[in-house]
Amino acid sequence: MSKTFLPILLASALGTAALLSVAAPAQVIRNHNSNAPVDFDAGAIELQDRADRVILTGGVTATQAGLTMRASRVTAAYTSNGGIDVNRLDAVGGVTITKDDLRATSDAAIYDLGSNLITLIGNVRLTQGANRLSGGRIVIDLNAGRSTITGGASSTSSKGRVTGTFTVPQRKN
């Protein structure tokens, strides 16, 4: 099986407002080449042909065009219509996504390839430089170029709110 088997695209985002109770818009990674090959490294791979899925376990790392995703386990659901077409990727267990100076962590991540939606769930933390956001969930719409961060019951969000810190350029008085 080729190392480029899994077409994965997981991106992180950075919000534009700190302390919103329902949602905060965020900026999606720009100019990511989702057609680039994906390389992966895992302790084990299990092909479950009857269930149309592949399970990667044991410190999984997947990279694509400078974007890196790490998790304890990644499951790829696929259809086989004369070839293998991956439809969805589910990552669990200490998920970390990085690209350049952006870093996102969560308990789990889902990438629906058909709808180009990436969802990070549970204890979501986003950082870029000194800027930070925390919430319960982020949905990244790759088609629309829009992301939404919501609060939720997590150890990093206070009472279901999105929280964050943004740096301000130093100005001379």
Side-chain angles (χ1 to χ4, degrees):
M1 185 175 300
S2 165
K3 287 181 77 174
T4 59
F5 171 75
L6 296 176
I8 189 171
L9 168 66
L10 291 176
S12 68
L14 187 66
T16 59
L19 303 179
L20 292 178
S21 63
V22 178
Q27 180 181 355
V28 175
I29 291 177
R30 297 180 192 274
N31 302 320
H32 180 73
N33 181 2
S34 61
N35 293 318
V38 174
D39 294 320
F40 67 88
D41 181 71
I45 183 171
E46 177 182 338
L47 176 61
Q48 297 179 349
D49 199 37
R50 289 185 182 170
D52 290 337
R53 67 181 170 210
V54 173
I55 299 174
L56 300 155
T57 57
V60 180
T61 300
T63 59
Q64 180 187 48
L67 183 131
T68 301
M69 190 262 310
R70 290 182 175 83
S72 297
R73 175 183 171 117
V74 174
T75 302
Y78 66 87
T79 57
S80 52
N81 299 326
I84 294 179
D85 297 320
V86 175
N87 303 316
R88 178 178 161 142
L89 298 169
D90 296 336
V92 294
V95 178
T96 301
I97 300 163
T98 57
K99 180 153 183 173
D100 301 324
D101 67 340
L102 294 174
R103 177 181 170 91
T105 61
S106 66
D107 295 334
I110 301 165
Y111 176 31
D112 183 333
L113 284 86
S115 64
N116 283 332
L117 292 176
I118 298 169
T119 305
L120 299 166
I121 305 165
N123 297 309
V124 176
R125 290 179 182 244
L126 304 169
T127 59
Q128 181 181 29
N131 299 316
R132 297 184 317 271
L133 275 178
S134 297
R137 175 181 157 145
I138 181 172
V139 177
I140 302 167
D141 184 333
L142 299 171
N143 289 333
R146 179 181 60 235
S147 298
T148 304
I149 301 170
T150 56
S154 75
S155 63
T156 60
S157 63
S158 175
K159 297 180 183 176
R161 296 179 66 86
V162 176
T163 61
T165 301
F166 297 97
T167 59
V168 183
Q170 298 300 307
R171 297 175 180 90
K172 294 181 183 180
N173 291 337

